[in-house]
Amino acid sequence: MEVIAPQLRTGAFVMNDNAEPDYLAYIRDPAHGFRSVTLPLKGSTELSVKVS
């Protein structure tokens, strides 16, 4: 994610299945410019949008 995130435009969606703790820590850190929510699906699916 650290490689891809700077290349994403504002408004881009990222979906991650089976989110690992390091991924969640990165995507949920406000300094990285994402808003994120865990979807109520089997396997801990995370949906994020780049806001800045």
Side-chain angles (χ1 to χ4, degrees):
M1 195 64 209
E2 294 146 357
V3 174
I4 296 169
Q7 299 175 40
L8 296 175
R9 295 179 181 168
T10 299
F13 284 94
V14 178
M15 184 176 277
N16 182 276
D17 191 22
N18 297 325
E20 297 291 328
D22 57 337
Y23 172 81
L24 294 176
Y26 180 89
I27 207 77
R28 291 179 178 171
D29 183 344
H32 297 129
F34 286 89
R35 298 272 177 140
S36 189
V37 64
T38 301
L39 299 176
L41 303 172
K42 183 180 177 183
S44 184
T45 301
E46 192 80 6
L47 179 63
S48 310
V49 62
K50 188 167 184 181
V51 294
S52 62

